[in-house]
Structure formats: C-alpha cells, structure tokens
Amino acid sequence: VQLQAFAGGLVQAGGSLRLSCTAYGNIFTLNTMSWYRQAPGKQRELVASITSGGGTNYADSVKGRSTISRDSTKKTVTLQMNSLKSEDTALYYCHAVVIIRGSFDEIPYWGRGTLVTVSS
C-alpha cells in the first residue's frame, strides 16, 4: 500500500491550498484517513481526520478555516486550507488506516511529506 500526496507548495499568507492524497495497493478497506504536519523543531501533530463514515476531527489551530473530505471510490482524501498563516508552514503527511485484502488487521500507513510554505 502506498499513499501519494499532491500539491504542497509556496503560498502567501491569507491564501488557500488544497492537499490531496490517494491510496494505492491491495486495499480491502480504507478506514480513517488523516493529515498530519510537522514544523521545523516541533513534533508531528494531527491536522484533521475523517472516518470512513465521514466523521471529521480538526486541530484547534485549523478549525474553521480547513475542510477535510474523502472520496472512498477514488481512495482519496483532500484537505482544503484557507486563510493560511506563517505558522501553517510544515511538512504535511497523509495517513491512512488500511485493511488489506486477505487480512482482518488494521495497519497504519504514512505517505511521504509534502512541504507547505506560507510566506508573510
């Protein structure tokens, strides 16, 4: 199973960015899908998550200006972030809990980080 993230980049403060991540591989079920981020010198933190049933959870720092969504058919999770701030600058990681075909175990997978830089 691989998670491939798209569309990090350089954005001006106050702007918007959409991150997408698609899961590939021998997947039976995609459970919770999430975005995490890690800023320089800081621990990795949860930004937002969405369950297979569509329930969402957001970090307080992004609540009200971010929306996470998923397309289960396309095995994709998307994070729309608005009103970006310099403190949103970080490596953003896609995460998914997967049940692979032929197994009953839930296995967490990480994508490679995609860099988001917000310039002030």
Side-chain angles (χ1 to χ4, degrees), residues 31-93:
N31 288 338
T32 299
M33 302 184 79
S34 308
W35 285 96
Y36 286 75
R37 68 185 180 187
Q38 187 165 17
K42 295 189 176 181
Q43 289 189 331
R44 192 173 297 188
E45 64 174 359
L46 175 69
V47 179
S49 63
I50 183 166
T51 68
S52 57
T56 58
N57 182 45
Y58 296 92
D60 288 342
S61 58
V62 304
K63 199 173 294 183
R65 58 188 184 93
S66 298
T67 303
I68 190 169
S69 59
R70 65 188 286 167
D71 184 330
S72 295
T73 301
K74 295 180 180 179
K75 299 183 176 64
T76 297
V77 61
T78 299
L79 179 67
Q80 174 73 38
M81 297 185 69
N82 303 317
S83 302
L84 285 163
K85 308 173 183 179
S86 57
E87 51 262 44
D88 294 318
T89 295
L91 271 172
Y92 283 72
Y93 296 90

Side-chain angles (χ1 to χ4, degrees), residues 89-110:
T89 295
L91 271 172
Y92 283 72
Y93 296 90
C94 178
H95 180 272
V97 178
V98 177
I99 299 176
I100 63 173
R101 296 185 190 279
S103 170
F104 295 102
D105 297 327
E106 290 187 318
I107 302 173
Y109 287 91
W110 291 95

